[in-house]
Structure formats: C-alpha cells, structure tokens
Amino acid sequence: MPIRFTPSSNIALLRESATIAVSQRAKALKAEGRQIIDLGAGEPDFDTPKFIRDDAAAAMHAGATRYTATEGILPLRQVIAKRARAYGPAAVDVEPQDVVVSNGSKQSLFNACFVLFGPGDEVLIPTPSWTSYYEMVQLARAAPVEVRGSRERDLKVTADDLERAATPLTRGVMLNSPCNPTGAVYSRDELRSLLECAERHGWWVISDEIYRRIAYNGDATASLEVATSRDNLIVVDGVAKAYAMTGWRVGWAIAPREVSRAMTAFQSHATFHTAAMAQHGALSALTRSDESDREIERMVAQYRARRDAALEIFATAPDLPLVRPEGAFYFYFDVSAAAGNAPDPGTAFARRLLEDKGVAVVPGVAFRTPEWVRASYAAPQSDVVEGIRRAVELWREMQD
Ligand code: PLP
C-alpha cells in the first residue's frame, strides 16, 4: 500500500530555518555567475590551525578510528574539566564525569533542553537569540517564551525582564554571551544578576558560551566565573568558532553530575559520540593552549579590524539603529525605517540587498526580531566593507 508522509506530532511546530530562502537565492545567483558578497555565514572564514590538523591526522593514523565512550575520550574531558576549575569558586569541583562531549555545541544544547524540559514547561529565551534555541525547546515539547531585550541595552535582557515574563511554569532560561545575532556581551554584573535571578527562582540556566573567546575587551565573562553555585547551571561550549573548527563537530556541556549522566544516556541512543579523530583535534586545541591562544588572538584581531572598518561606514548613517558588537562576528541593525510598512521589514530589506546590490545577509525574523538584519563579518575585510557600504546605501535609498 502506498504510504503518505504525515509529520508526527514531535515536529508539529518545527519550522525550516528562516535563513534558507535568502541563502538559496544567493546560491542561485552565484550559479548564474553573479558576484555575491556573502555576509550570511555564521562560520569563521579561517582554516583550523595547522598544528591541530596535524595532531588529529597523527591520532587517526595511530588508531583513533574506533568507537569512543559516549561522553567522549577521557583526556579531552579531563582538560575541559581542568580549564573549567580555574574559572572560580563555583567550578572547583568540576570533574571529567561532569563533562559530556557532543557533536558540536549544538548537540549539547539539544541534549540539555531534552533532558531538562518537557510538556508544560516554559523556557525563557532572551530575544533576539539564535534560531535553534526556540526549535530545541519546542522539540522537547516545552514552550519557548520570548523575552525582548531593550534597545537601550543593546537588546540584552535584565533580571527584571526575565521576572516579568516568568510564570509558575517557568523551568529555565537560555543565555548566550557574546550573543548571536547581536554581538552584545553581558558584563560581569549583568551576568551575575541573571544567574542570581535564576537561582532565586529555581530555574535551570543553559549558558551557551560558544563565542566567549571572540570578544574585543578580553574574553567575555564565563558564567562559572560569577555563579555562586553550579547546581542549576549547564555550560555549553566548543571549539567551532574560536578555534575555527566548525566542521569538526566538537562541543561539550559541563553540568551537575545527574544531568550529565542523563545527557550521556540520551546521547548514547541518539548519536553515541562525535568522531574519534575530531575529539583528538579538540584535545590538541585545548592542551596546546599557548599556540591556540596565539591563533585566537590573531583571528580576533582580524575580526576587530573588520568590525572597526565597517563601524566607520555605519557612522555615516547615525540614524540607522545598530548594536555595536563587543563580541562574536555579527552586525545587527534595524531596517524597519527603510522597509516602510512591510510586515517583515528585515526580509524585504535582505531580498533587495541581494537582488539589487548582490549582498547576502540574514533577515532578523530568523532570530524572532523581523525589524532587523544580521550581517556577518566572518568574511574578508574588503567584502565586509563593501557589503556594509552597499547595505547603508540601500537603507538610504529605501528611505527616499
Ligand atoms: N550557539 C550559537 C549561538 C551559534 O551561533 C552556533 C552556531 O552557529 C552554535 C551554538 C553551534 O555551534 P557548533 O558548531 O559548536 O554546534
């Protein structure tokens, strides 16, 4: 009998990524031979440092080709735990058993949402946020609650904002500093106040720190530096962004022991573990830390130079609302004044920018803030400067 696909209730609310339409159109235009400046990517444009590639290849040749423990190879978890312990008093008891290595930090975020939240639970998501948080919470059958950050605070939220959005059903909050898509960084005090608020209310905190080392006033504050306890805290990190290792798919969670056990059990039935040789690459990145730090410094210096060059162009349009990024590699700006009464101004603007000016950016609807667009500066400086110049030019033209 022919069978028809009817999506299961598990994915009833699942949405395709809102970025797909623009990136597919960008690809189609490229295929037609048009020169497109791509400021859409959320991925470093640098290669993984050579010593990491060499160490991973050597490990592979030495036999790192077999299954590993679900939670990851012990030396990798040991170095992650050791580095975490240095953060502060709340972290002194972090052991390798509290660490679960996964397929990118994305899987750690998913694992955490899945084991912590379920039907009837509400999870606070400072908005704008990375598109997958909302979907992950929904896939766990919990309800994402958008908490808008105010413009005066670069779209960051405060403890008061969280408390206003909370209900008796609130079970957790997702934090992300530096933030994708805004590049905003929470100060020590701001982060401390959010963590205190969550602790007071008995909420879980999932702190996504994947961009922590890409910041322009020193590394952004880690939640373990300012937390008074880690009983309700799941820290998620990985090598993808700072070490330019996106394709290796190595991330991890540091969680209270019972939670890390549950995440390991869940992962054992889902993906098992991430590739053995990739784990050895991450081990090299974390253990050869002097070399890694030099590489990170070099890359961050380039991101900063691109940011500063593009900020000069934004400065010529002081009326264009923009979050001044202090971390990550994104500009987030509000184009609603240019896109008239369009129901989704960011998408209308991104479409015209692509069609008329050959520049790809991501509409803010992907981050639940349709008035805005995100332009990545993980791209050559000449592209960043020219892409932003054209974006500002279009913004002016659309207002005329
Ligand atoms: N968290 C945020 C905020 C991201 O922007 C991304 C990737 O774009 C991820 C997590 C996932 O990173 P990974 O490659 O480690 O899965």
Side-chain angles (χ1 to χ4, degrees):
M1 205 166 85
I3 188 161
R4 241 189 81 238
F5 172 59
T6 345
S8 81
S9 57
N10 292 337
I11 59 163
L13 298 172
L14 189 67
R15 297 194 211 167
E16 263 199 11
S17 163
T19 62
I20 280 181
V22 175
S23 70
Q24 275 179 348
R25 183 72 189 133
K27 273 197 196 111
L29 290 174
K30 275 187 201 164
E32 285 168 17
R34 263 192 72 184
Q35 293 279 340
I36 301 296
I37 295 178
D38 190 355
L39 304 185
E43 170 166 34
D45 55 319
F46 300 107
D47 286 333
T48 300
K50 184 168 180 311
F51 73 89
I52 298 174
R53 287 182 273 144
D54 288 345
D55 284 353
M60 184 178 70
H61 290 300
T65 56
R66 296 174 184 269
Y67 289 142
T68 73
T70 302
E71 63 274 30
I73 56 173
L74 183 59
L76 178 56
R77 288 182 294 117
Q78 278 168 331
V79 68
I80 292 167
K82 184 168 165 221
R83 288 165 68 107
R85 282 196 294 272
Y87 282 141
V92 288
D93 65 343
V94 174
E95 295 291 340
Q97 297 94 304
D98 303 316
V99 178
V100 186
V101 175
S102 59
N103 285 270
S105 62
K106 193 171 211 173
Q107 189 184 15
S108 286
L109 291 163
F110 185 80
N111 288 348
C113 288
F114 213 77
V115 307
L116 294 175
F117 310 128
D121 294 338
E122 292 180 357
V123 181
L124 305 176
I125 306 189
T127 298
S129 260
W130 186 44
T131 184
S132 292
Y133 295 162
Y134 309 95
E135 302 296 336
M136 288 175 183
V137 167
Q138 264 164 2
L139 286 167
R141 299 194 178 211
V145 176
E146 296 172 24
V147 185
R148 281 267 190 149
S150 69
R151 283 166 191 269
E152 306 79 69
R153 286 195 190 79
D154 286 342
L155 308 181
K156 291 185 281 190
V157 299
T158 62
D160 282 349
D161 295 330
L162 295 182
E163 279 175 344
R164 267 195 301 275
T167 76
L169 300 177
T170 304
R171 288 272 287 156
V173 54
M174 314 279 293
L175 300 182
N176 177 219
S177 171
C179 172
N180 175 9
T182 61
V185 174
Y186 283 81
S187 70
R188 282 179 91 80
D189 287 347
E190 287 169 339
L191 191 57
R192 187 182 290 117
S193 151
L194 298 183
L195 292 171
E196 278 169 6
C197 169
E199 202 182 340
R200 218 168 35 245
H201 291 281
W203 301 332
W204 292 106
V205 174
I206 301 178
S207 179
D208 177 352
E209 301 183 1
I210 192 73
Y211 292 101
R212 198 179 66 81
R213 302 209 57 196
I214 303 177
Y216 307 110
N217 297 306
D219 291 353
T221 304
S223 50
L224 282 171
E225 285 176 60
V226 290
T228 50
S229 145
R230 63 181 193 91
D231 289 351
N232 64 332
L233 178 60
I234 290 85
V235 176
V236 174
D237 203 343
V239 288
K241 311 285 180 176
Y243 299 83
M245 293 178 70
T246 44
W248 297 67
R249 309 311 303 133
V250 185
W252 55 83
I254 303 171
R257 192 72 50 92
E258 287 175 1
V259 178
S260 65
R261 263 199 213 119
M263 289 197 293
T264 303
F266 172 64
Q267 182 170 294
S268 77
H269 297 295
T271 58
F272 193 4
H273 64 78
T274 194
M277 49 284 245
Q279 293 186 53
H280 282 274
L283 178 63
S284 163
L286 298 187
T287 45
R288 297 178 66 174
S289 55
D290 288 349
E291 287 149 282
S292 294
D293 287 353
R294 274 199 296 278
E295 293 284 350
I296 292 172
E297 235 171 71
R298 181 182 63 81
M299 293 187 270
V300 171
Q302 293 200 44
Y303 293 133
R304 177 202 290 276
R306 297 165 185 178
R307 177 198 71 158
D308 291 349
L311 280 175
E312 282 180 24
I313 300 165
F314 278 117
T316 65
D319 295 344
L320 171 54
L322 165 79
V323 176
R324 183 190 155 85
E326 297 298 341
F329 36 62
Y330 305 110
F331 287 114
Y332 208 51
F333 49 103
D334 176 347
V335 295
S336 54
N341 296 326
D344 179 351
T347 301
F349 183 87
R351 279 215 185 99
R352 276 205 49 191
L353 188 58
L354 182 60
E355 300 293 337
D356 300 356
K357 310 254 179 210
V359 181
V361 295
V362 178
V365 69
F367 315 101
R368 310 262 172 139
T369 37
E371 307 85 6
W372 299 69
V373 297
R374 188 194 79 177
S376 164
Y377 49 96
Q381 184 157 330
S382 52
D383 281 6
V384 173
V385 167
E386 180 55 21
I388 298 300
R389 192 193 65 73
R390 292 184 202 176
V392 170
E393 184 179 74
L394 176 66
W395 181 76
R396 282 212 187 87
E397 285 168 13
M398 285 174 76
Q399 279 182 317
D400 290 344

